[in-house]
């Protein structure tokens, strides 16, 4: 399948992978390990906290991940993935299963290395808050905007909002759960409706798992707006959309910064279609 520049969708990428266009036959690639990671956090000095649940699949040395709402995965989801071939999981009715399988396959085929367009950015050892702030700086550094510009932030992370404030950037926080930010700002729930009034988009990889990524990517592409993705979910998937509505990606494969106090690394991508991948 040949996809015109600027029109690649998530379903296109799944189809290309299932056809064997991007690497070895996915029907011959089997998931050896599947697991979920559950986390609850409230950083010291912060008034609010949050919870995470992530489905991760291991293919060879690669781990692909997709965050889900806590409790959303059905019983037996992990067992269903173990020993399954990637092609079968790419056709699974549950979108998070398809995302995690695609992420594992693409991580296996094109790991985060300079040869595939990745530029590593070190995260120092430290507390969860210190590492969160370090990651936020790595993400925000991919936004090339003048002070006073407005950024739609899809997937509220207080450290990212804090980093935007420090650069004099305005933002519209958006999350499907709604609520309020650390600074008592209203969190909107309809990202696409809020996008029109924003100059750039800062988008979590979680949008892949809930089906909201493609409309946001298409909005950015159509209107010529920068879209920077910060990706624990789909860290190997989102670089494929560079030049297709995504301008830069900060990819963070498993294990994530909040799992360990030691030094870590994120991988930053910029550039043309598929990041040279």
């Amino acid at each position: 399948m040949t996809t015109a520049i600027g029109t690649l969708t998530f379903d296109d990428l799944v189809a290309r992978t299932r056809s064997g266009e991007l690497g070895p036959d996915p029907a011959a690639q089997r998931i050896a390990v599947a697991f979920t990671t559950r986390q609850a956090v409230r950083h010291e000095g912060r008034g609010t906290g949050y919870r995470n649940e992530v489905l991760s699949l291991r293919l060879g040395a690669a781990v692909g991940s997709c965050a889900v709402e806590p409790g959303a995965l059905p019983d037996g989801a992990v067992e269903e993935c173990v020993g399954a071939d990637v092609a079968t999981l790419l056709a699974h009715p549950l979108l998070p299963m398809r995302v995690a399988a695609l992420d594992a396959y693409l991580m296996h085929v094109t790991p985060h290395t300079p040869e595939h367009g990745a530029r590593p950015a070190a995260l120092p050892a430290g507390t969860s808050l210190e590492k969160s702030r370090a990651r936020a700086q790595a993400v925000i550094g991919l936004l090339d905007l003048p002070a006073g510009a407005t950024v739609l932030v899809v997937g509220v992370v207080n450290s990212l909002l804090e980093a935007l404030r420090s650069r004099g950037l305005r933002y519209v926080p958006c999350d499907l759960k709604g609520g309020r930010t650390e600074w008592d700002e209203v969190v909107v729930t309809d990202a696409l409706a809020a996008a029109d009034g924003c100059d750039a988009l800062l988008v979590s990889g979680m949008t892949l798992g809930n089906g909201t990524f493609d409309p946001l990517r298409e909005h950015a592409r159509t209107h010529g707006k920068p879209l920077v993705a910060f990706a624990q979910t789909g860290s190997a998937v989102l670089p494929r959309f560079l030049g297709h509505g995504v301008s830069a990606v900060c990819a963070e494969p498993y294990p994530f910064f909040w799992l360990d106090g030691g030094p870590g690394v994120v991988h930053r991508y910029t550039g043309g279609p598929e990041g040279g991948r």
Side-chain angles (χ1 to χ4, degrees):
M1 178 188 297
T2 300
T3 306
I5 297 299
T7 63
L8 184 69
T9 68
F10 176 78
D11 287 343
D12 291 335
L13 192 55
V14 170
R16 291 178 60 186
T17 302
R18 293 190 71 202
S19 71
E21 182 179 339
L22 302 181
D25 181 3
Q29 308 295 310
R30 293 190 176 274
I31 298 301
V33 179
F35 57 97
T36 57
T37 306
R38 295 183 180 181
Q39 174 222 29
V41 61
R42 182 167 174 175
H43 295 305
E44 184 177 356
R46 290 271 171 84
T48 57
Y50 57 89
R51 294 174 60 205
N52 284 323
E53 184 170 344
V54 183
L55 171 67
S56 297
L57 307 179
R58 182 160 185 170
L59 177 64
V63 177
S65 298
C66 182
V68 297
E69 289 300 316
L73 285 176
D75 291 340
V78 167
E79 290 79 5
E80 184 179 353
C81 293
V82 174
D85 66 82
V86 172
T88 296
L89 293 178
L90 288 175
H92 198 281
L94 291 178
L95 179 56
M97 302 274 265
R98 301 199 298 275
V99 171
L102 181 63
D103 194 34
Y105 180 88
L106 294 179
M107 188 90 68
H108 178 64
V109 173
T110 47
H112 296 303
T113 62
E115 292 78 12
H116 297 127
R119 293 181 292 113
L123 300 183
T127 67
S128 60
L129 180 56
E130 288 167 342
K131 294 188 74 173
S132 177
R133 284 171 166 161
R135 185 192 70 150
Q137 290 300 323
V139 173
I140 298 303
L142 293 169
L143 280 171
D144 183 16
L145 295 171
T150 301
V151 180
L152 175 65
V153 182
V154 185
V156 172
V157 177
N158 284 318
S159 291
L160 290 176
L161 303 185
E162 181 182 58
L164 290 170
R165 294 163 71 95
S166 72
R167 281 187 45 184
L169 294 169
R170 296 193 291 263
Y171 56 80
V172 176
C174 180
D175 198 287
L176 290 176
K177 294 186 291 292
R180 306 188 80 84
T181 72
E182 183 73 16
W183 298 272
D184 201 32
E185 300 148 328
V186 174
V187 176
V188 303
T189 56
D190 189 334
L192 203 56
D196 283 334
C198 297
D199 302 302
L201 289 71
L202 186 59
V203 177
S204 167
M206 286 186 70
T207 56
L208 285 170
N210 63 30
T212 60
F213 169 71
D214 273 326
L216 293 168
R217 177 200 56 76
E218 184 60 18
H219 174 90
R221 187 188 71 83
T222 300
H223 296 280
K225 296 179 181 179
L227 187 158
V228 172
F230 55 101
Q232 294 178 343
T233 291
S235 77
V237 175
L238 284 166
R240 296 277 175 167
F241 292 97
L242 288 165
H244 299 268
V246 173
S247 54
V249 178
C250 185
E252 185 184 359
Y254 196 95
F256 312 127
F257 78 85
W258 37 266
L259 284 166
D260 181 71
V265 64
V266 294
H267 307 274
R268 302 199 295 179
Y269 293 82
T270 59
E274 301 188 63
R277 292 153 64 105

